Amino acid sequence: MRKPIIAANWKMYKTFDEAVEFVEAIKDKIPPVEKVDAVVCAPALYLPTLVDIAKETDLAIGAQNMHYEEEGAFTGEISPKQLEAIQVDYVIIGHSERREYFNETDEAVNKKVKAALSHGIVPIVCCGETLEEREAGQTEEKVANQVKKALAGLTEEEVQHIVIAYEPIWAIGTGKTATSDDANAVCGHIRKVVEELYGKAAAENIRIQYGGSVKPENIEDLLSKEQIDGALVGGASLQVESYLKLLEAGANA
Ligand SMILES: O=C[C@H](O)COP(=O)(O)O
C-alpha cells in the first residue's frame, strides 16, 4: 500500500510574510505523516525559514528546482548540497514550466534526479504531454520517453524513493482536469514503464502523483483510482483552507 503524497507547488507566488503566515497557520493541522506525506514546495529564498517553522511537525518543505552540480560558478543557481544543508526534504525536478521557459532538457532532469538522491532529497519528477501530443495520440509515448530519460542509470533501490508527477500540460492552471480514468490510465502506463526498466518492486513502490487543476472538489475522485498516489497542486494549494482539504483527502484515500 503506497502512502499518498500531496505536494503544494507555490511557483512564484506569495511574499515572504504570506508564506510564513501560511505555514504557521497549517503546521499544527497537518494529518499524521503515517497517513499522508504533506509537502510545501516554496520559493527558494523562503526555504530555511519555512524548514525551521515546520520542524517537529508533519509538514515537509521542498524546493521547486535546483542545479545538479555540488557547487561552482553558476550565478543565480542553488545546489543539492545547499538544499541538503538546510534540511529540505523534496525538490520538484523537470516541471513543464521549467522545461518550456528555462530550456530544461531530459538530460539535465536526469542529472538533477541523481544529484537530489545522492543528497538524500526526494525528487518529484514531472512529466506530461501537450494538448497537440494528446490529440495526436502520443501521450503514452511522450511520458514513457520522459520517464525513461529521467530515471536512466538509477538503481532499482533508488527508483523506489522517487515520486513521479504526471502533469498533462494542457491541464495546468487551466481549470481543465484530465478525467480520473484518463489520469489513472497514464499513471498505470508510467508504472508499467518503471516495471520494464527496474522490476516489480520498483513499480509497486514508486509513487505517482497527478497534477493539473487539482482542487478540493476533484481530488477524492482522482485519489480513488488505483494508480494515482497523490497530487502536485498549484493554484489550489495557495489558500490555507483549500490546501488542508487536499491533505485531508490524501489522509483518507
Ligand atoms: O505543479 C503544479 C502544477 O503545475 C499544477 O498547477 P495547477 O494546480 O495550478 O493546475
Side-chain angles (χ1 to χ4, degrees):
M1 173 79 182
R2 297 179 293 268
K3 190 184 1 164
I5 170 165
I6 309 295
N9 176 11
W10 283 354
K11 308 190 179 184
M12 203 170 69
Y13 291 101
K14 292 194 184 295
T15 63
F16 177 76
D17 287 350
E18 288 166 349
V20 168
E21 197 182 324
F22 185 104
V23 175
E24 287 285 6
I26 63 165
K27 68 174 189 185
D28 297 322
K29 297 181 182 158
I30 307 292
V33 71
E34 294 74 29
K35 291 192 164 179
V36 62
D37 280 325
V39 186
V40 166
C41 298
L45 71 165
Y46 310 159
L47 294 174
T49 308
L50 300 188
V51 166
D52 205 41
I53 299 172
K55 221 167 248 168
E56 321 277 320
T57 76
D58 284 338
L59 178 67
I61 301 296
Q64 298 175 12
N65 177 42
M66 60 168 213
H67 200 282
Y68 47 79
E69 294 289 353
E70 297 270 300
E71 60 185 13
F74 300 103
T75 301
E77 290 291 326
I78 295 170
S79 81
K81 187 174 160 189
Q82 292 168 333
L83 291 179
E84 181 185 23
I86 58 163
Q87 292 162 23
V88 162
D89 294 314
Y90 292 85
V91 60
I92 299 171
I93 304 282
H95 191 281
S96 59
E97 288 151 15
R98 293 216 55 86
R99 293 179 192 256
E100 182 177 354
Y101 306 129
F102 303 97
N103 304 318
E104 199 155 298
T105 62
D106 287 322
E107 192 197 10
V109 168
N110 179 243
K111 286 182 178 171
K112 290 181 181 196
V113 169
K114 287 176 178 161
L117 288 168
S118 71
H119 285 273
I121 303 168
V122 177
I124 298 176
V125 187
C126 301
C127 62
E129 82 286 1
T130 62
L131 188 57
E132 294 68 43
E133 288 163 340
R134 170 157 288 249
E135 285 171 347
Q138 295 165 350
T139 299
E140 292 197 349
E141 186 189 336
K142 169 73 181 284
V143 297
N145 198 29
Q146 285 180 321
V147 168
K148 279 180 195 163
K149 287 180 171 163
L151 306 190
L154 300 185
T155 65
E156 183 188 333
E157 165 63 17
E158 283 174 329
V159 168
Q160 302 186 33
H161 298 297
I162 284 177
V163 176
I164 291 179
Y166 165 57
E167 299 205 311
I169 295 168
W170 49 270
I172 295 175
T174 58
K176 289 183 199 155
T177 321
T179 67
S180 54
D181 285 332
D182 279 352
N184 189 52
V186 180
C187 291
H189 181 68
I190 293 170
R191 206 176 296 286
K192 231 169 56 202
V193 170
V194 172
E195 181 169 352
E196 279 161 21
L197 293 170
Y198 292 100
K200 227 177 171 50
E204 273 169 13
N205 290 324
I206 194 168
R207 291 183 292 176
I208 305 176
Q209 301 173 304
Y210 167 78
S213 298
V214 175
K215 34 190 182 281
E217 297 75 44
N218 59 22
I219 193 167
E220 279 173 30
D221 179 30
L222 288 159
L223 295 185
S224 71
K225 300 293 172 185
E226 197 189 336
Q227 301 295 339
I228 303 177
D229 306 319
L232 180 58
V233 189
S237 74
L238 292 167
Q239 297 84 35
V240 166
E241 199 189 333
S242 156
Y243 181 58
L244 287 174
K245 280 187 189 157
L246 297 169
L247 292 183
E248 202 53 46
N252 293 330

